[in-house]
Structures are given as C-alpha cells and as structure tokens.
C-alpha cells in the first residue's frame, strides 16, 4: 500500500514536470506562437483593418553595435508580423522599415542592448 502511494505521488510529480516542460517549450510571449527567436518577445493588438505589433528585443552587444541590433529588431518584427498574418491565412500590405518605431537602450553594466519596436500593420483587401 505504501509503495502504491509513493508511485501515485511520484506519478503526479512526473506528470507535473512534463506539463511544465511542455508549457515552457511551447509558450511564446505576446501570444499566438509567434516566431522571432529566443531574444525577442511580441505583443499583438488587433485593430479594425489590421493589427499593431510590438516587440522587445535584447541581446549582449557593444554600444557601437547598436545599428546591428536596431536592424535585427526591425527585421524580426516585420517577419513576425508576416508570420502572424500567415497564421490566419491573410496577407498584409507591404511593410516599410521606415514605418517601424524604434527605441534603443544600451546598459553598459550588463552589456545588453535592448530594442523596443512597434508598427501598425494593415490587412490587404
């Protein structure tokens, strides 16, 4: 009887650990399984005629490397907007890099550069 209790308790621990592992492996900050890599999180706000997508992208870099981070941040956001549209079987109007709003910050103590970006996206008709 004692062994049965231990196995039952152990079973719950194993199942619980598996659920946590599955959740961690499948969760995507910002919602619907958006791509973009492990360095970015995304948020999508649906709006009439399209959506607003925003991201926070960070990675270790030198302060002089800000332009590379800015470019990666914009490309990642634009690719994720396309992935989001594709997940609905919809197309979006062409995105221009110049429309992406970007805010950059470099922390000299940690060496991390952070990019916050957003862009309004319109559905194609």
């Amino acid at each position: 009887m004692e062994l049965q209790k231990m196995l039952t308790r152990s079973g719950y621990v194993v199942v619980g650990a598996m659920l946590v592992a599955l959740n961690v492996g499948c969760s995507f900050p910002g919602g619907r399984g958006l791509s973009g890599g492990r360095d970015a999180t995304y948020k999508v706000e649906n709006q009439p005629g399209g959506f607003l997508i925003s991201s926070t992208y960070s990675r270790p870099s030198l302060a002089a490397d800000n332009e590379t981070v800015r470019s990666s941040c914009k490309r990642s956001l634009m690719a994720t907007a396309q992935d989001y549209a594709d997940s609905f079987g919809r197309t979006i109007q062409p995105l221009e890099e110049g429309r992406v709003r970007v805010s950059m910050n470099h922390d000299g103590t940690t060496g991390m550069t952070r990019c916050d970006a957003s862009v309004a996206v319109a559905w194609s008709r």
Side-chain angles (χ1 to χ4, degrees), residues 53-109:
I53 185 167
S54 55
S55 71
T56 299
Y57 177 91
S58 61
R59 72 177 207 198
S61 71
L62 301 172
D65 198 29
N66 274 356
E67 196 52 45
T68 301
V69 175
R70 179 187 306 273
S71 179
S72 295
C73 179
K74 284 183 175 184
R75 282 194 318 270
S76 178
L77 181 70
M78 293 169 64
T80 302
Q82 185 63 57
D83 289 347
Y84 183 76
D86 290 348
S87 74
F88 289 101
R90 307 259 328 247
T91 57
I92 57 175
Q93 293 186 7
L95 290 174
E96 298 170 14
E97 262 192 58
R99 289 187 27 220
V100 178
R101 293 184 195 176
V102 176
S103 172
M104 300 285 295
N105 181 26
H106 178 77
D107 184 337
T109 305

